[in-house]
Amino acid sequence: MTTLVAPDGARIAVREHAAPAGAAHGPTLVLAHGWCLAAETWDRVVAELQARRPHLRVITYDQPGHGLSTPGRDRRVSLLDLGATLRAVVAETAPEGDIVLGGHSMGGMTVMALAQVAPGLFAERVRGAALVGTAAHLGTRRPVPGEGIAMAVLGRLPASARGLPTTARLTAANLFGPDPDPAAVRATGRLTSRTRANVVADWHRAIGELDFREHLAPFAGVRTVVLTGARDRLTPVSAGRRLAAGIPDAQFWSLPGVGHMITYEAPAIVADKVELLLDAPAASDRA
């Protein structure tokens, strides 16, 4: 793990998943995680991809204030700050060559923010973008991970989830589909519970102000896939469809039985879609 300083002063923990077979071939994959989570939420997808592509190099990092990264200087944060942070991560870890970007939840919003703050990077170096469980605009308040869901909802959870501790059951109800993997639920619960209250509140406000609908032009010509879990309660299918509709030629998939934590619930499917981007024409070959 290495550390870099973002433009807002945050110290960002960055992880390089080096190509298992040695020298990397093809574009570098850079992945951004969601609100109240950490880089490890991408680990299952990274393992799946590197098993298929032993020469793939992947970069993951903890967003400001999340995981092992510190917050920035100012609590009045903006999603554009996340775009600037991602630009710094790319500049430090992949200064040359094509890149493929992936973002889950707030991480997808981070990729959209990067398109706004660095459109030239998209034109010159971004081969593809995976926007997973995310939205360009929500418009209404979304629940904080760990907030209570009605007990009637908890009562409808399958036996595998009902056997978990109460906090884990709430995590399952908020963030997962109807038959969650208990290990994935526990891992997610650990991350959300470790996120400091001020970080939760600051980024909750920033997400509430989200509106990238008029700033998606840099995605034109960039192969883009949008994935949404059919059981996602935070960024529902309708939000994913609207996002895909705002990007010319974007491909959209709704995953049956999957909730918000797509990278845990369907890592092989996410890897399938990322491979479409890795195999896209080089950025320099676009007309």
Side-chain angles (χ1 to χ4, degrees):
M1 188 185 76
T2 60
T3 302
L4 63 83
V5 179
D8 65 354
R11 296 183 63 81
I12 303 301
V14 180
R15 297 164 181 82
E16 177 180 4
H17 305 259
H25 294 172
T28 297
L29 176 62
V30 184
L31 301 172
H33 71 79
W35 178 45
C36 302
L37 300 170
E40 67 190 70
T41 57
W42 280 103
D43 284 355
R44 293 187 182 189
V45 176
V46 172
E48 181 76 27
L49 283 166
Q50 290 192 319
R52 302 178 188 184
R53 294 176 178 245
H55 296 286
L56 177 64
R57 178 176 182 253
V58 186
I59 301 296
T60 60
Y61 67 100
D62 291 339
Q63 299 269 28
H66 295 71
L68 298 178
S69 294
T70 67
R73 290 182 293 265
D74 189 352
R75 285 195 60 186
R76 185 66 189 180
V77 294
S78 161
L79 290 173
L80 295 181
D81 295 330
L82 299 184
T85 296
L86 177 53
R87 179 173 57 186
V89 170
V90 170
E92 179 70 23
T93 64
E96 297 179 345
D98 276 8
I99 56 174
V100 169
L101 301 172
H104 168 246
S105 191
M106 189 178 74
M109 300 167 193
T110 300
V111 174
M112 289 179 253
L114 178 65
Q116 185 170 339
V117 302
L121 181 67
F122 269 66
E124 297 165 9
R125 297 185 54 206
V126 177
R127 184 177 295 195
L131 304 175
V132 181
T134 192
H137 176 66
L138 290 172
T140 57
R141 180 188 177 280
R142 296 292 161 186
V144 174
E147 279 187 333
I149 291 292
M151 291 308 293
V153 174
L154 294 178
R156 291 197 296 271
L157 289 172
S160 59
R162 290 199 300 270
L164 294 169
T166 300
T167 301
R169 284 185 288 150
L170 292 171
T171 299
N174 272 302
L175 301 178
F176 286 81
D179 190 21
D181 172 7
V185 173
R186 287 191 292 270
T188 301
R190 283 195 298 272
L191 295 176
T192 59
S193 65
R194 290 173 182 171
T195 308
R196 293 179 292 277
N198 64 305
V199 173
V200 174
D202 292 348
W203 290 108
H204 180 267
R205 179 200 49 75
I207 292 170
E209 297 171 353
L210 162 76
D211 193 348
F212 287 126
R213 291 175 292 180
E214 302 301 321
H215 301 281
L216 299 174
F219 287 89
V222 174
R223 185 175 291 180
T224 303
V225 296
V226 180
L227 289 79
T228 303
R231 298 295 190 94
D232 192 332
R233 298 172 177 86
L234 300 187
T235 53
V237 171
S238 57
R241 290 191 187 280
R242 288 193 298 269
L243 171 57
I247 299 174
D249 301 319
Q251 297 176 280
F252 174 77
W253 286 272
S254 173
L255 307 187
V258 173
H260 188 63
M261 297 303 297
I262 303 178
T263 58
Y264 276 130
E265 295 182 87
I269 296 175
V270 176
D272 290 342
K273 307 315 179 189
V274 170
E275 286 199 286
L276 297 176
L277 310 177
L278 296 169
D279 292 333
S284 59
D285 292 339
R286 293 199 293 262

